[in-house]
Amino acid sequence: MTKAGTTMRDSGDQDSVRHIVRTLRRRIVAWQYPPQFPLVEEALAQEFGLSRSPVRQALTHLAAEGLVERLPRRGFRVQQLKMVDVEDLYGFRLALESQVVRALASRGLDEQTLARLRAPWQDPQALASEPVTRLAELDEGFHLGLAQAHGNALIIRHLEHINERLFAFRELDFDGNDRIASTCAEHGGILEAIVARDVALACELIERNINSGLGNVEDALVRLVGRSYLSSTHPVSKGVSP
């Protein structure tokens, strides 16, 4: 094969790997797979209409991300979050976002950014008609918007990763109208503290907001595990156990 032909083939293989990684990552973080669900190369290759090589590369990539676990001579299985993992993610998130609001309260927010962050949270009754996925997206956008206003690329990158892993928990957190009202109040308070240049209050309020979500995590985890077993319809090869 010519060098150009090899390059085209390698490019196509990498496109396939990226597609598999994106698809499996999306399923895992949405809890479409239960904990320790076996990801069998042969079954996945058949599903994606590809050879086992790109599937193996994709699974190896996901193992490096901590989304799957590689078992010696037994293939791969899904590595879902445990309670301690979720608590660690919330703790890391709190540390990052506390730094964000501390810096923003020290220097302030421009009017355009302030208006954009405030707008979705001014009418709890209007939000009550939104699906939980949309509410979770809006909440994620608020917190990430603060980080983007802060401007630290490393903090933004870490928060994007945390947000991806916690999105399913965010959805369940909004599965109740009282959470909508409290979030509107908490977000509004955070912005007011930043505008007032009250660093201590801004940090206190971001901690209260994040811990409000953490307080519902145990129940959410139980629900996600149960939902994952009920909804999983992806094929498992015979003879492979979790």
Side-chain angles (χ1 to χ4, degrees):
M1 180 177 290
T2 65
K3 184 176 181 179
T6 302
T7 302
M8 289 177 64
R9 184 192 64 188
D10 291 345
S11 175
D13 288 347
Q14 288 309 304
D15 286 344
S16 296
V17 171
R18 284 190 288 269
H19 171 65
I20 299 168
V21 167
R22 284 194 301 269
T23 302
L24 296 183
R25 183 193 291 121
R26 184 171 63 249
R27 291 176 183 174
I28 292 168
V29 300
W31 288 76
Q32 292 179 21
Y33 293 124
Q36 301 187 350
F37 187 89
L39 295 174
V40 184
E41 290 180 20
E42 183 178 356
L44 289 170
Q46 187 173 20
E47 178 187 348
F48 286 101
L50 297 165
S51 69
R52 294 176 63 172
S53 177
V55 170
R56 188 177 302 115
Q57 291 180 58
L59 291 172
T60 301
H61 183 97
L62 291 168
E65 291 186 14
L67 292 170
V68 305
E69 178 185 11
R70 185 167 198 163
L71 303 174
R73 297 181 298 278
R74 291 182 59 198
F76 298 83
R77 68 183 182 187
V78 170
Q79 188 84 334
Q80 289 290 15
L81 295 172
K82 303 180 181 68
M83 187 63 190
V84 65
D85 302 320
V86 181
E87 290 174 341
D88 285 348
L89 284 172
Y90 269 91
F92 188 26
R93 179 187 164 199
L94 176 58
L96 294 174
E97 295 201 36
S98 294
Q99 175 60 32
V100 166
V101 298
R102 184 179 293 111
L104 292 177
S106 297
R107 71 182 191 224
L109 270 175
D110 65 85
E111 289 297 327
Q112 184 177 2
T113 301
L114 180 63
R116 176 172 52 80
L117 293 173
R118 180 180 283 154
W121 305 102
Q122 293 184 309
D123 189 349
Q125 290 185 339
L127 289 173
S129 63
E130 296 284 353
V132 292
T133 298
R134 178 57 181 159
L135 294 170
E137 290 171 348
L138 288 171
D139 184 59
E140 183 179 283
F142 175 84
H143 290 273
L144 191 59
L146 289 172
Q148 289 166 340
H150 175 269
N152 186 306
L154 188 58
I155 289 178
I156 293 169
R157 203 155 55 240
H158 279 303
L159 284 177
E160 286 174 338
H161 170 72
I162 293 170
N163 287 340
E164 181 180 50
R165 289 298 269 153
L166 294 181
F167 190 80
F169 293 89
R170 260 192 166 107
E171 286 183 304
L172 291 181
D173 193 29
F174 281 104
D175 195 12
N177 289 335
D178 58 329
R179 189 69 180 108
I180 296 173
S182 64
T183 300
C184 287
E186 288 163 359
H187 287 181
I190 291 165
L191 293 175
E192 288 175 11
I194 291 172
V195 171
R197 305 292 183 94
D198 191 332
V199 174
L201 182 59
C203 291
E204 178 187 336
L205 293 176
I206 198 71
E207 181 175 4
R208 187 183 304 170
N209 179 243
I210 291 173
N211 284 341
S212 294
L214 179 58
N216 298 322
V217 158
E218 188 170 359
D219 176 65
L221 186 58
V222 171
R223 292 171 66 186
L224 286 171
V225 171
R227 188 178 76 183
S228 70
Y229 281 106
L230 290 173
S231 66
S232 180
T233 57
H234 303 291
V236 181
S237 291
K238 293 180 180 179
V240 181
S241 58

